Amino acid sequence: METGIKDFARPVEASAVMELLPTRPHVLALGEPTHGEDTLLDLRNRFFRQLVEEQGYRTIALESDCLRALTVDAYVTSGEGPLDDVTERGFSHDWGGSRASRELVGWMRDFNADRPAHDHVRFAGIDGPLEITGAESPRQALTALHDYLTAHVDAELLPCTADRLDGLLGPDAPWTDQAAMTDPSQSIGRTPEARELRLVADDMVTLLETQAPHLAAVSSLDDRERAHLYGRTAVGLLRYHSWMADTSPSRMARLLATRDEMMAGNLLALAARGPVLVHAHNSHLQRDKSAMSMWGHPKVEWWSAGALVSTRLGDRYAHLATALGTMQHQGVDTPPPNTVEGILHALPEPQYVIDAAQLDTTVRHMGAVPRVSPYSGYAPLDPAHLRHIDGVVFVSDVPHG
């Protein structure tokens, strides 16, 4: 089996990846088995730079709040604000403090410095304004969309006034109450006001579509894309809050599916602008159903963003999964499924393995890391899903001589 690894190994380089694929994908997904590992983030940064410089990619999208990411995008395209403030406000999940995140943002700003706007690299988030403990108020998305429409269409076409919208939203605290994540009775997602807000959001999104020719004449492409982002986010957040108030056994599956549907919508919108590299957890990017257990609930399954996008894009979607960790080669005929050999056994022919430096090692465990991680229970890549994968990147978490 070791010979097989060497036969199919390739360097982790953009050109080698493209050789694996039938066409340059509109969405190239680089999945990680766990969050917060610097080795994987450094690989992401290096790979994106190669895609930009050699393959013409101009967008990177991360598993981060899509609205917060607008702050980072403004910085890398125009230099707005100090870097420390941008990384603090522009990332969710406390990832802005990462060295790799700062290096990525800094490199993007430097790359854009002397280039025309049409050649800029862009930054985006694919996640909704969500955390594992709850969700944000839809206020930002709804008011920003209402402001855009107010500035560009006749007032009588709007479904409500700004004052009425503010009254329906009420204070933000009930929307962001973390108790609602585990106790549906604490959610306000199905109050009469929340139900009316869902109709208002739907009407405003419809207005974006029905007024598209006019809006194209009176506003910039960036402004229109941002308005559609606000619309997708408002609709998704209100749907998410509604499912937080649900008491049926399918509640958690609905929440996870809604989150990934929001990710998929954002990815498809970005792909319409040009080829994009997306970096997120493997469970959000794989083509097969994802599964996880949390807070004592039975295992739930849902279709990931990758599965949804792949259904739309076909071979214009590609997923490379990364695996982290090492241990010595065991020399067994039927290796455990979580070793490199086991993963290779699960891969269809041709076996797509991207790994230049670790040919004599095997993966210790998909998702296992040498230190305690808050994400250690998050569902790792399942080797059984590898029949629908385009490549595996094996990354060592310890130095080798």
Side-chain angles (χ1 to χ4, degrees):
M1 194 64 195
E2 186 177 351
T3 301
I5 297 175
K6 291 181 178 180
D7 285 346
F8 292 107
R10 294 172 172 85
V12 187
E13 297 175 354
S15 58
V17 169
M18 292 304 167
E19 290 177 359
L20 300 178
L21 308 174
T23 185
R24 185 180 74 161
H26 290 194
V27 175
L28 178 52
L30 182 65
E32 59 180 2
T34 189
H35 290 314
E37 288 300 316
D38 286 343
T39 301
L40 299 178
L41 300 180
D42 289 338
L43 181 145
R44 174 202 68 191
N45 291 358
R46 193 165 59 249
F47 187 48
F48 179 58
R49 290 195 296 270
Q50 293 175 358
L51 289 171
V52 169
E53 294 167 352
E54 301 171 17
Q55 302 295 328
Y57 279 66
R58 286 296 182 267
T59 301
I60 187 168
L62 306 186
E63 186 186 331
S64 188
D65 183 337
C66 59
L67 299 187
R68 289 194 184 191
L70 295 173
T71 298
V72 181
D73 190 56
Y75 176 81
V76 301
T77 56
S78 64
E80 295 181 9
L83 178 59
D84 287 344
D85 182 58
V86 166
T87 53
E88 180 180 352
R89 295 189 299 111
F91 290 82
S92 59
H93 306 87
D94 296 323
W95 293 337
S98 159
R99 170 191 55 78
S101 295
R102 291 174 59 86
E103 290 179 356
L104 173 65
V105 173
W107 178 84
M108 294 176 71
R109 176 67 193 126
D110 291 342
F111 181 90
N112 287 338
D114 298 320
R115 283 177 167 80
H118 72 268
D119 196 36
H120 280 175
V121 289
R122 304 290 297 271
F123 182 92
I126 62 166
D127 208 351
L130 308 169
E131 294 284 354
I132 197 69
T133 54
E136 292 294 320
S137 164
R139 178 182 302 279
Q140 180 184 357
L142 283 169
T143 55
L145 177 56
H146 192 277
D147 288 347
Y148 170 80
L149 291 170
T150 299
H152 298 298
V153 303
D154 294 337
E156 61 266 22
L157 296 177
L158 291 166
C160 69
T161 65
D163 287 343
R164 176 58 178 163
L165 181 62
D166 185 64
L168 289 171
L169 285 163
D172 287 344
W175 291 103
T176 59
D177 184 0
Q178 294 186 358
M181 193 64 208
T182 54
D183 182 359
S185 68
Q186 300 302 308
S187 172
I188 66 167
R190 293 188 177 178
T191 62
E193 292 80 8
R195 293 178 187 275
E196 185 172 345
L197 282 170
R198 293 186 72 180
L199 294 175
V200 168
D202 182 71
D203 284 344
M204 288 199 290
V205 170
T206 300
L207 196 54
L208 282 177
E209 298 294 342
T210 58
Q211 292 292 308
H214 169 69
L215 295 172
V218 299
S219 63
S220 69
L221 177 60
D222 273 356
D223 285 347
R224 297 195 305 276
E225 288 182 343
R226 193 174 300 114
H228 281 279
L229 171 63
Y230 290 136
R232 291 192 303 273
T233 304
V235 170
L237 265 179
L238 288 165
R239 185 180 295 127
Y240 194 88
H241 279 287
S242 177
W243 285 116
M244 286 180 72
D246 184 51
T247 58
S248 74
S250 65
R251 175 180 185 264
M252 190 58 64
R254 295 280 194 174
L255 288 171
L256 293 167
T258 297
R259 181 187 179 194
D260 270 70
E261 191 276 335
M262 294 174 71
M263 292 184 179
N266 289 331
L267 267 177
L268 288 168
L270 292 169
R273 187 170 69 191
V276 54
L277 173 70
V278 57
H279 184 247
H281 195 277
N282 283 316
S283 63
H284 292 303
L285 301 177
Q286 63 195 37
R287 291 182 176 92
D288 292 86
K289 271 191 171 181
S290 297
M292 69 181 300
S293 301
M294 59 188 303
W295 297 324
H297 290 272
K299 184 175 74 172
V300 294
E301 296 183 333
W302 75 101
W303 289 108
S304 73
L308 300 177
V309 172
S310 177
T311 300
R312 291 281 297 275
L313 297 185
D315 63 8
R316 293 172 297 167
Y317 176 84
H319 176 204
L320 305 176
T322 56
L324 180 72
T326 61
M327 72 178 184
Q328 294 303 309
H329 174 66
Q330 299 298 306
V332 294
D333 293 332
T334 306
N338 287 321
T339 64
V340 167
E341 289 91 345
I343 293 168
L344 290 175
H345 273 297
L347 284 169
E349 296 291 344
Q351 295 169 329
Y352 295 147
V353 181
I354 305 170
D355 173 45
Q358 313 299 333
L359 300 186
D360 295 325
T361 62
T362 58
V363 172
R364 180 174 61 243
H365 188 276
M366 301 295 284
V369 293
R371 58 182 179 275
V372 175
S373 166
Y375 302 100
S376 59
Y378 204 40
L381 176 71
D382 185 344
H385 294 163
L386 294 177
R387 63 187 181 276
H388 291 148
I389 216 161
D390 298 293
V392 180
V393 181
F394 297 111
V395 182
S396 174
D397 61 340
V398 294
H400 291 272

